[in-house]
Amino acid sequence: MKSLKVLVVDDEGVICEACNLVLAEKGHTVDYCKTGKTGLIAIERGKYDVILLDMKLPDIDGMEILETVRAEIPAPRVIVMTGYSTMSNAVQAMKLGAADYLAKPFTDDELIEAVEKTCPEQ
Amino acid sequence: MTSSTKFESYFHVLRDVIRAMHSITNLQEVLNIVVTKTTGALDAKGALLRILNEETNQFEVRAACGLGERYLTKGPVTTETVLSTLAELDKVYIITDIWNAPRVEYPQATWDEGVRMMVDMPLGIDKPMGLIRIYFTEQREFSDDELDFIKTVAMHCACVIERVQVMESQQSKFSHLVAHVDKLSSLGRMAAGIAHEINNPLAGILLYSSNLSKKVPSGGLLEEGLKIIVKETQRCKTIIQGLLEFARDREPQRALVNINDIMESALGIVENEFHLRHVRVRKQLDKIIEKVYLDENQIEQVFINILLNALQAVENKGVVTVQTVVDLEHKKIHIEISDNGCGIAPDHMKKLFEPFFSTKANGTGLGLAVSYGIVENHQGDIRVFSKPGKGTRFIIDFPFLVENSIGKGRP
């Protein structure tokens, strides 16, 4: 698996750090932002392969960020994370262009699988 | 009085009672009119109206006229003496011997009041609910017309009392129900809020523990402990998912379905468990089945939850009865799941549909809470009747819904 550039946008510091730990061990590079605003800035600047996006952020709605990301060229793959693990949420996120969906809480294996599956080796 | 003026006077009393009856905002008003008008029409000294309080089993004074304070404060009349001679509801009792009549509880006080004769007219439709007692200062004869008049007033009065009592009991049932629904829906909202807040810290716990469990020496205490943390965290996740379902976070995916098919499918899933415990299932499924818009999976889940509860309630060799009925008149489908098991303790009945309420050692207390949410989401109605030692009966009603009356999505 080639090294991926991953951005985690979640207001929970523990989740950001945990994702960093798990993915870095697999050789991926991880940045993280704790607000929607800083997340949008990071998305504009860095060329990320994958964005792990929490749907409930204190400042900007996750869906709004998802729409902005879709406008990026090339558009990074987005994996939506949410505590409301319901089907309707997942379906809505997928309709808006998310590549995958992680229901909190998830294990390290589930995280790695979701990230690597989203970016198959070309 | 001549007979024609008497007739007029009776007619006016009846007219006033009936008029008061139809403007039935206040029972007291009707009762007051009954005692004053009856006293006037019969040239009596006064009248007293008592209504049976079923809780205390005493006849309580609800209206009176023409009687002194001292007599009225004599206290309540117990049912034993009155009820024993109250069996015939349409019979007027004329009491001429105040001192020796068994129906008179306070003869001295009655005599001191100047009363020499009394007439008792029971109030009631099927069972005694009260009594009108009319007091006279001297002995006299009663014509058939007068007795008929007393009976007619009593009959109308009983109708009013019964109607008001039914209304009051419906009102109290309804407000009780509203409070119950309110409580459950606020619990649901709270649950959804808590679920989100808890899933975040759980995400941290699960990521770290699952990651660390791979780094510690295998077979050791550390690995075992971390694996337990992983497993228990995932259990929390399952519980929270159940809670979110209860919180109506899942929109029903409705389609036209046959309720019998869903029941058969639910029975198929629990069949093995029933077989192992030698519990018999009796099916009474309506043949003329009307298809309804329901979420097949959710309704199946409700049936399974109730069936498993029934299985738990019955001893080996119990019987669980499932019934579906199409009620074309009320445009609804009626489902009953009943058992002849241990029943539900009265103080558990109120909490039955609350999340986390469970009497089972390993129960999550979410089965019926989730079922309640699902049925409510389908504009349905779920009720339970139970007698300890006799069994429990769950009743679910779903209205026939046409496709365009169902909201496509949530606002």
Side-chain angles (χ1 to χ4, degrees), chain A residues 10-12 14-15 17-19 21-22 25 54 56 82-89 103-111, chain B residues 192-193 195-197 199-208 210-212 214-215 230 233-234 237 240-241 244 249-251:
Chain A
D10 195 314
D11 58 323
E12 293 268 335
V14 173
I15 294 172
E17 282 154 29
C19 289
L21 170 84
V22 170
E25 281 175 10
D54 180 25
K56 197 171 165 250
T82 171
Y84 290 109
S85 47
T86 63
M87 280 308 286
S88 60
N89 256 347
K104 283 181 187 173
F106 42 83
T107 62
D108 59 343
D109 291 338
E110 286 164 344
L111 172 65
Chain B
H196 186 258
E197 292 310 314
N199 273 337
N200 267 322
L202 286 182
I205 295 172
L206 194 54
L207 276 170
Y208 276 108
S210 58
N211 182 261
L212 283 175
K214 296 187 185 92
K215 293 175 182 166
V230 170
T233 312
Q234 278 165 333
K237 180 183 177 174
I240 287 166
Q241 261 164 357
L244 283 169
D249 234 6
R250 234 177 85 191
E251 185 70 25

Side-chain angles (χ1 to χ4, degrees), chain B residues 107-319:
Chain B
Q108 183 67 55
T110 312
W111 186 265
D112 292 349
E113 188 69 23
V115 175
R116 298 298 174 262
M117 185 186 191
M118 299 191 281
V119 170
D120 273 1
M121 181 64 217
L123 290 172
I125 295 162
D126 310 315
K127 57 183 172 66
M129 59 164 71
L131 175 80
I132 305 176
R133 179 168 278 187
I134 308 157
Y135 299 82
F136 298 89
T137 49
E138 53 193 38
Q139 303 272 347
R140 55 172 279 198
E141 296 283 312
F142 290 96
S143 68
D144 285 349
D145 281 350
E146 282 174 312
L147 295 177
D148 222 37
F149 164 73
I150 297 171
K151 282 183 200 168
T152 312
V153 170
M155 192 188 76
H156 279 291
C157 187
C159 285
V160 181
I161 296 168
E162 194 186 64
R163 235 169 61 185
V164 169
Q165 281 176 345
V166 166
M167 231 161 67
E168 279 173 356
S169 103
Q170 292 288 359
Q171 231 161 27
S172 103
K173 261 188 207 156
F174 182 71
S175 56
H176 181 80
L177 198 73
V178 167
H180 187 63
V181 168
D182 266 3
K183 190 175 165 192
L184 286 182
S185 70
S186 56
L187 268 169
R189 278 195 300 275
M190 204 179 77
I194 290 174
H196 186 258
E197 292 310 314
I198 288 181
N199 273 337
N200 267 322
L202 286 182
I205 295 172
L206 194 54
L207 276 170
Y208 276 108
S209 56
S210 58
N211 182 261
L212 283 175
S213 71
K214 296 187 185 92
K215 293 175 182 166
V216 294
S218 78
L221 264 180
L222 261 179
E223 192 200 21
E224 193 191 331
L226 284 164
K227 284 201 167 140
I228 290 172
I229 294 174
V230 170
K231 207 178 82 199
E232 293 298 290
T233 312
Q234 278 165 333
R235 199 173 126 214
C236 291
K237 180 183 177 174
T238 314
I239 294 171
I240 287 166
Q241 261 164 357
L243 253 184
L244 283 169
E245 272 165 39
F246 165 71
R248 281 173 273 141
D249 234 6
R250 234 177 85 191
E251 185 70 25
Q253 306 293 314
R254 296 180 197 247
L256 257 190
V257 290
N258 178 337
I259 203 89
N260 287 348
D261 291 347
I262 302 180
M263 184 58 87
E264 292 281 11
S265 150
L267 285 170
I269 289 168
V270 297
E271 193 180 16
N272 233 349
E273 303 259 342
F274 274 67
H275 186 71
L276 284 172
R277 300 265 305 267
H278 306 288
V279 173
R280 204 157 59 85
V281 175
R282 210 163 51 199
K283 281 188 277 188
Q284 296 164 354
L285 306 181
D286 200 333
K287 285 194 183 72
I288 36 158
I289 209 78
E290 177 94 8
K291 285 197 169 185
V292 273
Y293 276 97
L294 298 172
D295 184 320
E296 200 169 339
N297 294 325
Q298 291 190 1
I299 302 307
E300 186 185 272
Q301 189 189 344
V302 172
F303 291 168
I304 291 171
N305 284 342
I306 298 173
L307 284 168
L308 289 178
N309 277 349
L311 179 67
Q312 292 253 343
V314 296
E315 297 286 317
N316 279 351
K317 299 195 170 124
V319 180

Side-chain angles (χ1 to χ4, degrees), chain B residues 380-391:
Chain B
D381 186 26
I382 183 167
R383 281 161 294 155
V384 58
F385 300 93
S386 187
K387 250 198 177 138
K390 294 268 177 200

